[in-house]
Amino acid sequence: MAEERPPRLVDYFVIAGLAGDGAPIPEETWVPEPSGPLRPPRPAEPITDVAVIARALGEEVPQGYTCIQASTGGHPLELSAGLLGGTQPVICYRRGRDKPPLVELGVLSEGKERPKPGFQVLDTTPYSHSANLAPPGPGHPRTYLTYRRAAEGAGLHALGITDLCLILPSKGEGTPHTYYRLPRNLNLGMWGPAVYLCYKVGLAKANTLVYEAELLGRYPEEDNEAFPLPESVPVFCLPMGATIECWPAQTKYPVPVFSTFVLTGAAGDKVYGAALQFYEAFPRARLSERQARALGLLSAVERGRALGGRAVRSRRAIAVLSRWPAFPAFRAFLTFLYRYSVSGPHRLPLEAHISHFIHNVPFPSPQRPRILVQMSPYDNLLLCQPVSSPLPLSGASFLQLLQSLDPEQAIVLLLAVLTEQKLLVHSLRPDLLTSVCEALVSMIFPLHWQCPYIPLCPLVLADVLSAPVPFIVGIHSSYFDLHDPPADVICVDLDTNTLFPSEEKKPLSPRTLPRRPYKVLLATLTNLYQQLDQTYTGPEEEASLEFLLTDYEAVCGRRARLEREVQGAFLRFMACLLKGYRDFLRPLTQAPSEGARDVDNLFFLQGFLKSRERSSHKLYSQLLHTQMFSQFIEECSFGSARHAALEFFDSCVDKVHPEQEKPEPTPLVELEELSGSELTVFITPPEEPPAPEGSESTPQYCYDGFPELRAELFESPREQPGALPVPGPSRSAPSSPAPRRTKQEMKVAQRMAQKSAAVPELWARCLLGHCYGLWFLCLPAYVRSAPSRVRALHTAYQVLRQMESRKVVLPDEVCYRVLMQLCSHYGQPVLSVRVMLDMRRAGIVPNTITYGYYNKAVLESKWPSGTPGGRLRWAKLRNVVLGAAQFRQPLRERWQRRRQQKQQEEVDTAAQEAGSCQTEPDLERPSPTRPLQRQTTWAGRSLRDPASPKGRLVKSGSLGSARGAQPTVEAGVAHMIGALGVLEPRASPAPWHDGSLSDLSLTGEEPAPGGSPGDSGSALSTQSTETLEGSSGQVPKAGGRQDEASTPRRGLGARLQQLLTPSRRSPASRVPPPELPPDLPPPARRSPMDSLLHPRERPGSTASESSASLGSEWDLSESSLSSVSLRRSSERLSDTPGSFQPPSLEILLSSCSLCRTCDSLVYDEEIMAGWAPDDSNLNTTCPFCACAFVPLLSVQTLDSRPSAPSPKPTPAGASGSKDAPVPGGPGPVLSDRRLCLALDEPQLCNGHMGGTSRRVEGGAWAYLSPLVLRKELESLVENEGSEVLALPELPAAHPIIFWNLLWYFQRLRLPSILPCLVLASCDGPPHPQAPSPWIMPDPASVQVRLLWDVLTPDPNSCPPLYVLWRVHSQIPQRVVWPGPVPASLSLALLESVLRHVGLNEVHKAIGLLLETLGPPPTGLHLQRGIYREILFLTMAALGKDHVDIVAFDKKYKSAFNKLASSMSKEELRQRRAQMPTPKAIDCRKCFGAPLEC
């Protein structure tokens, strides 16, 4: 798969300003509509001097100065009033442009403090008297005014003080809007009110015309469908309008002004913009006479005479738009372009740099964490990957928020945002507005601001300030030179650290916040506020290349740490504020009605309010009725694109403790290292055009201002740009419902795995949980390929129940989530409700993602009709019939026992007379073969094995499918009674005459004579019922209805057992029982211990007739017919007479791997125990040498299908032979040893009878841990969709993933379509006219066997003991041992080992083997440990079903400890005599019964 195109850093480049086509400018200037009362016009000149005069000393106001004689309210002012010897100081100021303006004022107490750097002390009056503001006397230190002046050459547009005033707070006067108040009282006398000096900083300029900005140029010219260029971009680039100004001719150009803005789309997605504003010369010819007079270019006295010494300038802006808030990078790039346009000449056009930057500079990613862009030999730009955080990416700067406002003011703003107040943020620095406004909407995470939000509001949109809805608006402070703010708005002045509360609505006090979380937040912000001065705040665009490569990351790392700590403080407060909110969510549990999405129906508001502190009820009352809280509850209830962030917030809620007065030691936002990878991608400047041969290239591009863009000069992109990627969580294929976990879920799963690795039992359950997660990831493809999708969904629900019953440690909720969304997709809301109830019953609180999928499934799916209908009534009637049958069961058992005693001799005689023509053995009579059939099946699986695959019996027909006349209630009852097989007449001579097996469960409820203790008759009857399903249709009918000939019915005991314990269904048989030839009399019953103590008599014994099969044969039909009962392969066998066919393809799988270091075989449970709790580590640890190695999963496919269809010749005499069983018919019982051994090898290994050649293919792939496999599977599904899991190309395209999935699904008996994919891949590509890729071959034609030992033994190694036992016992095997057999490994040794084991002397067996093998390195080397050799030998001699491995482990452990007293444990370990670790034993227990050798 080709590498995906990385996302662009910049999407559009635009130029905004006045149209430069040479046309005259319109006469009407654009003036915004006033949203408040107009103010007097601002002064044309700034304040350049301030002075203090002493009235008492006879000083007069100097010429050109203005004296402040009254307060803002008109009250007279007198400093040091009433004091004897006072000088009566008065403050004066002067305006002008002859010197740089004043930019800051202060008050200095002599002897107590020093002047600030850059400040000058005003210590004398213009008349050389003392300018002391304090009254004379020893108790009053001298107090002077201080000032700071702008730097020389600051130009016309330097910020300066534009106005001064004095206020009297005692008279009710407050600080005027946009003014800064000095904190010192200037009236230090004993009498008189307190007087404070206030000043305003701004731009003082006149002769300006303002117009609405227009779009002058853009690149690229075409809009992208995923991200069209908004039409309002020009007015945001120049928020105060495109101006034409008149300057003195010698005035220098000001430094360009950088600004940022945010555009919000209809869906809530954000577009970030950055603009650079600058001035250019403007031709006078484009101005009319009226415009020239307004600019001061014409004399007001002499009409039409032009004034000299004036220059006309216009303001323009260049800007970039992006989906990423990389404002420092945008600033550097725009600054480079501006410098490029005012310098030159250049060899490359400006357009080449623009197109090169847009097309070739990607946004940093994990593959490209650091990107160094070299725009020119002197201009460099470094991009670093943002810190990986579950919080949404934004342009917020919490540090600038704290620098502009102190912690107390920041908390007041937080309270205002939580209660949805009208906030107006203003500053003279436009780039500061966006950062602070973004921080305001980010500090309330997880709530999302729903009202109008304009971080940098142009004047054209200023009417939003009069809107009757809450808003957060940022605006330039010069707006208030013309207008007063609205009365119902909270104004925030970032330049003066002042909050102006609303005049109409009194805001809440911070005391209404929860007390302890508020204290922790205030203390944390205060501590961080004190650390801000120590960080570097220099201009990053001026940084050199050496700084970017050395100190940049360290500086940015410190700032990023403080930034995250401030954000984490607000996040902790919000988590404490909403602690426990999930307990008050109301899930939908019935068909939705009108108003189902209302907050009152989704959240218990009153209950949540009562659970909070009483002192905070006023705050919560307003918060719960805000739009953002309603949206938050709706997102939690129905899911949204922010589900990953909400899930992270839930984890934060679980971590915080609101009752504590200190923050938690572990930070909520985990900061990852910026330099996680040293990879740096260098992007060089665009290539210069080649010069002609023999000449040097001369610069030809020189600009007088920023040029108009020419399309022919742009570089064409190197590749065709596709759809622009949108940041955020990637969307999976429609068929794959949220298969990929969020980053937070992955971190939680990783932590759970690390904790579980230390506890053996938890580690096994952790692996098991990931295995079930793998199956549910494949569930969408499985459901889509199932014949009945609704039945497949119910099967998945049963798997879920089975998983809960096994107490699996689930690392996440993906299993529930996938099933819920599939229920929504296929319209099964009732099943979704059952899944939710099971979750809560299991104690699992669904997170935001799962809860959203659940409510969505309930809300959007079509619900069944409100009336229960006939299904519920028939179910009730069925229960009544079953109950009545249960009451009659004791009477029937008594009658059957009498009947058995009377007919015993007759039945035995009839069985002998029947011979080979016997169609079906009567299982109701006790026979010598019955006890063996209760102990073991033909494949070696015990009927009592609780871990065996469970299956559902074939129903004789549904209640609504009765054949014949129109169904009635009476007919339905009769059909049900007949289908259930109960209440038959007592005098029925042959209950099975019509093929019905309804009486087998009743006769089997009591143990048969000769049966082993503990065997259950009900288990026998159920197994027998299912065993005969495949051959019931082949029995000649003696009577009964013809339509029931091939519909065997279930026994009552099995029916009740399924009803009461649905997870303990009986195993289904794959192969019909072979018929017993009459010439072989059944031998007497012997116990397995007799065979163990006398192994030489084994050829004539009946112990462990499954010795050729140490484990169970796992074909697809059995694995599919698990306890969840999904596959219907057994229905095919039972419904079609004589339809049994041997498997066409046999798949052998083994996870047994060889450790190359110590040449030892490591088995499945030991491999599982050695895996690391890491989803990227493929190694396991060898239990013998403790070395790490990659285990392998060996695969071997045996294809028995003929290359060309041809009839098979019948061997001579085969038709008349009584020893050969009829394929598909009844086979021999296991007491017939000779016939069993004759049939074992062909049927066990080949899956069919006869000598058809088989094509054998094999291979080995890495055996992956479920943690690693899940990560790889999630990546595959995310990239290619879940459809790939049902394509025949999967085994060849992704063999590692495929074979590992097949291994785990077969290991846990989970239904899947993977075996069919192997057969489909062998058939080649599907026909082009195939209607769907979901058509699969018959699953019964594929047989999958999981082997415990290696598939192909090493001929150079020592043979295993269990293989030698089979060789000595002349038992056919799957693979013949290819190498020599040591003489010391004789049959006598094997018998001695087995005898010691049988006599509970395992320590003697171990010692005997150790003595026989000899000490290393001269002795025999076994690749298997002593434990494994003795265990396999015992299972081969007794049969897997007669060996209790748990008891064997206890005996072996006791024997090991006994031997350790004479031999050291270290020596025993060196000779590989130790038993598996507890972790390995627990893995074997959790993953089911032992496998086959």
Side-chain angles (χ1 to χ4, degrees), residues 1234-1245:
R1234 184 177 63 81
L1235 194 55
C1236 286
L1237 296 181
L1239 296 178
D1240 255 344
E1241 175 63 16
Q1243 185 141 352
L1244 179 63
C1245 302

Side-chain angles (χ1 to χ4, degrees), residues 165-181:
C165 69
L166 294 172
I167 61 172
L168 303 176
S170 60
K171 302 294 184 180
E173 298 175 359
T175 305
H177 194 66
T178 69
Y179 279 69
Y180 177 74
R181 187 178 78 173

